Amino acid sequence: MRYDVIVVGLGAMGSATVYQLAKSGVNVLGIDQFAPPHKLGSTHGNTRITRLAIGEGMEYVPLVRRSHEIWYEIEKETGKELLNQCGGLIMTVSDGYGQHKSSDFLQNTYDAADKYGIKHEKLTNLEIKQRFPLFNIRSDERGYYEPEAGYVRPERCIEVQLELAKKYGATLNLNEKVKGFTADNSSVTIATDRGRYKADKLIISAGPWVTDFLPKYRDIFKIHRQVLYWFDIDDEKNYEAFREMPIFVWEFSNQRYDNFYGFPAVDGPQGGIKLATETYDTDTSPDDIEREVTSEEIQSVYDHYVKEQFPHLTSKCIKAVTCMYTDTPDAKFVIDFHPKHKNVIIASPCSGHGFKHSAAIGETLSQLAKTGKSDIDVSKFSFSRFRNA
Ligand SMILES: Cc1cc2nc3c(=O)[nH]c(=O)nc-3n(C[C@H](O)[C@H](O)[C@H](O)COP(=O)(O)OP(=O)(O)OC[C@H]3O[C@@H](n4cnc5c(N)ncnc54)[C@H](O)[C@@H]3O)c2cc1C
């Protein structure tokens, strides 16, 4: 059987891509080694932050904006809520260390908001205290508020986009592992643990397994273990305030990676508040990652990020889950043709900040496969910016 396009990996990026391809009438085969959504890659944990003014760089704004449009289109078609624009608060000390290794995160956020006309407010310390009393901010901190920021439901997005892809005629092979590919000028062939398939184009969106397909580029994609924690609310009478609070990013100090982020209470009064830090110190892999979270890790996050900052959260951790960032050296994305094969396209797992852009990345990958060009400029996410690519 020959397809127009094969998509390997049906997580955040792949599910969006097969949906877009199938919807536009392309004969597409999507393959995943598991049955997404699952908890073994980079797209689980109930929620992902979305913000419009992207502190990681201006070039991302068109992607997130288009993603919001696509999610609203899908919500209309399916009746399922994917995106909740509950508002977003960034808090920082004057020279706070930004998320995803970005410097000047807050200033970049302001610049992106100004350039793209994104609604926002600059908040003083006192204004944050008055409007968001759940956050016990220190006197040297200030903030940025974006009313259209919020969160997306990652598992639901994958589920719905795969359902729609099927509805529009995609073939989806789940629990089938791709072992490798070959490409020549006219076609690509993939070998799996069940057979071989041919197509005109191949899109690789294999998440933290990306280097299985790019073994020569292991130094470009480094995997880092991250942990998501859900801390309990002290009293049910405070649940409503936590349910109504914005998502937040807290640049906690000017120490490297000393920032954390979190979400409103989306899982009911007993579900707790999800928050997470970022760590980049030790490289790992999907096979080697330690998936258990220790009580020492939980205690340390509670002591450093919760105890004083959230007087209405307790030290009881309802659950803790591990997940993987796959980081490039500049913490930006790779969305580009394979350095050696022009009929193979790579979508990286996006350095820990890709979900908010994933719907538009799917559309972009679909356009690149069909025409070689995309509506949104992704030239900043090229392979060629790396010395050895
Ligand atoms: C803890 C954490 C918090 C995050 N928070 C945010 C956030 O708040 N906002 C935001 O925008 N982003 C966030 N991100 C980043 C975002 O979640 C990722 O960028 C995105 O989910 C990556 O999706 P993916 O499709 O590349 O990978 P995945 O969803 O992991 O999908 C890859 C798929 O490829 C399949 N696959 C791999 N190898 C093979 C093979 N050989 N054969 C067949 N199938 C294969 C896998 O089974 C998997 O299903 C966060 C990430 C983490 C880990």
Side-chain angles (χ1 to χ4, degrees):
M1 180 80 183
R2 182 166 175 141
Y3 295 89
D4 297 334
V5 182
I6 295 173
V7 178
V8 176
L10 300 175
M13 309 304 159
S15 61
T17 309
V18 285
Y19 160 58
Q20 293 289 342
L21 285 166
K23 195 173 150 206
S24 61
V26 171
N27 180 21
V28 55
L29 167 67
I31 305 194
D32 201 287
Q33 62 187 339
F34 305 124
H38 57 77
K39 291 184 167 39
L40 298 168
S42 298
T43 316
H44 54 278
N46 296 352
T47 46
R48 288 289 185 269
I49 284 179
T50 182
R51 318 169 241 115
L52 289 177
I54 302 292
E56 290 87 348
M58 298 263 182
E59 62 274 26
Y60 296 97
V61 177
L63 285 172
V64 69
R65 278 196 150 160
R66 179 66 190 134
S67 292
H68 283 201
E69 285 172 7
I70 294 171
W71 283 318
Y72 277 130
E73 280 165 25
I74 297 176
E75 286 188 350
K76 232 169 128 187
E77 182 170 354
T78 63
K80 299 203 174 145
E81 188 193 282
L82 306 177
L83 169 65
N84 187 318
Q85 290 176 286
C86 61
L89 182 63
I90 298 175
M91 292 164 288
T92 180
V93 287
S94 56
D95 50 357
Y97 195 91
Q99 272 205 308
H100 310 117
K101 301 185 182 172
S102 48
S103 54
D104 287 333
F105 185 78
L106 189 66
Q107 190 54 50
N108 293 345
T109 300
Y110 283 135
D111 293 347
D114 288 339
K115 177 171 176 197
Y116 285 95
I118 295 160
K119 277 185 237 152
H120 67 284
E121 292 171 66
K122 289 183 184 179
L123 298 181
T124 63
N125 188 270
L126 191 64
E127 285 166 331
I128 297 176
K129 272 191 182 1
Q130 284 166 346
R131 284 177 55 182
F132 304 105
L134 287 176
F135 302 94
N136 185 24
I137 67 161
R138 294 169 305 202
S139 56
D140 57 343
E141 290 171 317
R142 64 205 160 92
Y144 163 97
Y145 179 71
E146 187 182 293
E148 291 172 280
Y151 61 87
V152 200
R153 298 293 203 158
E155 290 90 343
R156 212 178 285 164
C157 287
I158 291 180
E159 216 169 76
V160 167
Q161 288 176 114
L162 292 181
E163 276 166 18
L164 288 177
K166 251 170 126 169
K167 176 177 145 188
Y168 289 118
T171 305
L172 302 181
N173 290 6
L174 305 183
N175 299 307
E176 179 166 355
K177 189 174 170 78
V178 178
K179 304 279 198 189
F181 74 90
T182 53
D184 58 33
N185 285 340
S186 60
S187 67
V188 289
T189 305
I190 61 162
T192 76
D193 52 9
R194 283 196 233 154
R196 298 170 81 79
Y197 308 89
K198 241 183 177 21
D200 296 345
K201 303 275 168 60
L202 172 65
I203 296 174
I204 297 173
S205 47
W209 291 267
V210 62
T211 52
D212 290 356
F213 297 92
L214 297 164
K216 286 192 187 144
Y217 302 97
R218 285 193 195 281
D219 55 339
I220 291 179
F221 301 102
K222 298 283 183 202
I223 297 175
H224 299 118
R225 173 180 179 268
Q226 310 295 341
V227 183
L228 303 162
Y229 302 86
W230 282 257
F231 284 97
D232 201 14
I233 299 170
D234 63 349
D235 189 321
E236 213 167 311
K237 71 177 190 312
N238 292 319
Y239 161 63
E240 206 174 308
F242 278 108
R243 193 190 60 201
E244 299 307 317
M245 83 183 202
I247 61 96
F248 68 91
V249 175
W250 203 328
E251 293 183 9
F252 202 51
S253 77
N254 53 13
Q255 300 295 306
R256 278 169 90 221
Y257 319 138
D258 195 12
N259 69 78
F260 70 114
Y261 60 92
F263 298 81
V266 299
D267 300 318
Q270 318 305 330
I273 293 298
K274 177 179 137 183
L275 51 87
T277 60
E278 295 191 310
T279 54
Y280 296 96
D281 297 332
T282 317
D283 298 349
T284 185
S285 74
D287 291 334
D288 300 329
I289 183 174
E290 176 54 66
R291 294 195 185 262
E292 292 301 309
V293 180
T294 64
S295 51
E296 287 77 21
E297 286 179 282
I298 293 170
Q299 188 64 43
S300 149
V301 164
Y302 175 74
D303 288 343
H304 192 57
Y305 296 110
V306 183
K307 198 170 163 181
E308 290 186 8
Q309 292 68 26
F310 292 99
H312 294 296
L313 293 182
T314 76
S315 61
K316 181 178 161 198
C317 186
I318 294 168
K319 61 176 172 174
V321 171
T322 53
C323 193
M324 287 172 276
Y325 278 10
T326 307
D327 297 295
T328 59
D330 59 9
K332 292 189 183 283
F333 301 173
V334 173
I335 302 172
D336 199 1
F337 294 92
H338 188 288
K340 304 271 177 306
H341 307 291
K342 290 301 159 208
N343 42 7
V344 179
I345 303 166
I346 311 292
S348 77
C350 295
S351 302
H353 55 116
F355 196 85
K356 64 180 81 57
H357 308 289
S358 59
I361 290 176
E363 186 177 58
T364 298
L365 293 168
S366 142
Q367 292 169 348
L368 289 175
K370 286 185 293 185
T371 67
K373 294 189 187 116
S374 60
D375 293 346
I376 294 178
D377 177 13
V378 288
S379 55
K380 289 223 165 140
F381 308 134
S382 70
F383 252 113
S384 59
R385 72 185 192 271
F386 303 113
R387 196 173 30 85
N388 64 350

